[in-house]
Amino acid sequence: MLTATHIAYLHTCHRKLWLFANGIQMEHTSQLVSEGKLIGESSYSDRATKYTELALDGIKIDYYDAKNRIVHEVKKSNKVEYAHIAQVKYYLYILRKNGIEDPQAIIEYPKLRQKESVLWEQGDQEKIENWIKEVQDLITRAECPALDKKPICKSCSYFDFCYIHEV
Ligand code: SF4
């Protein structure tokens, strides 16, 4: 089933998307991922009482304010990335598809002490449906996309896998 992680990886690295979708998962060994989870948990420990967790059609929203229809997403990153926005737009797409009227989202960056509002814009539906097609096309290819070296590789959970032959 397609998830918001697929959509985020589509905007991060096509190789990462393919590896993840084809069952090669290394996230649990990543120090950065566990650090991120910790930031999410410790900075917002009182959230569980205010917000509900919502799992729906392949998405899992940790902090959903059902009363105001607002998704709260916490990111450990020290920069705002388009992949985060794409992931959250996909949440809004699924919520809308399930009859939630005009949902909104806020991405919170505790390290930056910054918040980013994500609104539904005209053309988003078509844009997201194109992303879904792109994901389906990429992940069903027989070959893993070639290594494309880029700065984010250093913090990627697949770094060891991708750079195994590098000196
Ligand atoms: S290490 Fe780089 S090339 Fe490999 S999956 Fe991660 S981001 Fe993509």
Side-chain angles (χ1 to χ4, degrees), residues 6-157:
H6 292 95
I7 299 294
Y9 288 177
L10 175 72
H11 294 89
T12 311
C13 170
H14 289 179
R15 182 173 166 89
K16 183 171 183 167
L17 168 62
W18 191 95
L19 290 168
F20 170 74
N22 285 276
I24 302 162
Q25 297 189 23
M26 305 178 82
E27 296 287 355
H28 62 286
T29 59
S30 164
Q31 177 66 31
L32 284 165
V33 168
S34 40
E35 186 197 326
K37 291 217 170 100
L38 208 60
I39 284 175
E41 281 156 18
S42 60
S43 309
Y44 297 89
S45 52
D46 65 330
R47 286 179 168 245
T49 54
K50 287 203 255 168
Y51 305 133
T52 49
E53 195 179 279
L54 181 69
L56 188 71
D57 286 358
I59 62 166
K60 191 175 150 298
I61 299 168
D62 291 334
Y63 305 111
Y64 181 57
D65 174 353
K67 187 164 157 254
N68 298 303
R69 304 184 303 278
I70 300 177
V71 172
H72 290 262
E73 176 72 17
V74 181
K75 292 293 183 199
K76 66 174 170 65
S77 168
N78 48 21
K79 72 175 198 297
V80 177
E81 287 170 29
Y82 188 69
H84 303 156
I85 294 167
Q87 176 190 342
V88 163
K89 286 251 181 189
Y90 186 68
Y91 290 160
L92 298 182
Y93 170 79
I94 293 291
L95 290 174
R96 291 170 70 93
K97 250 182 73 176
N98 282 276
I100 310 285
E101 227 175 279
D102 202 19
Q104 295 179 28
I106 298 171
I107 309 176
E108 303 178 17
Y109 293 91
K111 278 190 180 173
L112 296 173
R113 297 181 187 280
Q114 193 178 324
K115 289 182 182 183
E116 183 85 11
S117 287
V118 180
L119 301 175
W120 189 258
E121 293 161 307
Q122 206 182 355
D124 276 351
Q125 169 123 354
E126 295 74 20
K127 189 160 72 178
I128 292 164
E129 281 164 2
N130 282 332
W131 292 346
I132 294 169
K133 282 191 205 132
E134 246 186 286
V135 167
Q136 281 160 347
D137 170 52
L138 275 158
I139 67 178
T140 51
R141 289 186 190 171
E143 299 267 320
C144 176
L147 170 61
D148 170 21
K149 294 180 188 176
K150 42 194 171 287
I152 59 153
C153 292
K154 287 198 291 291
S155 55
C156 175
S157 57

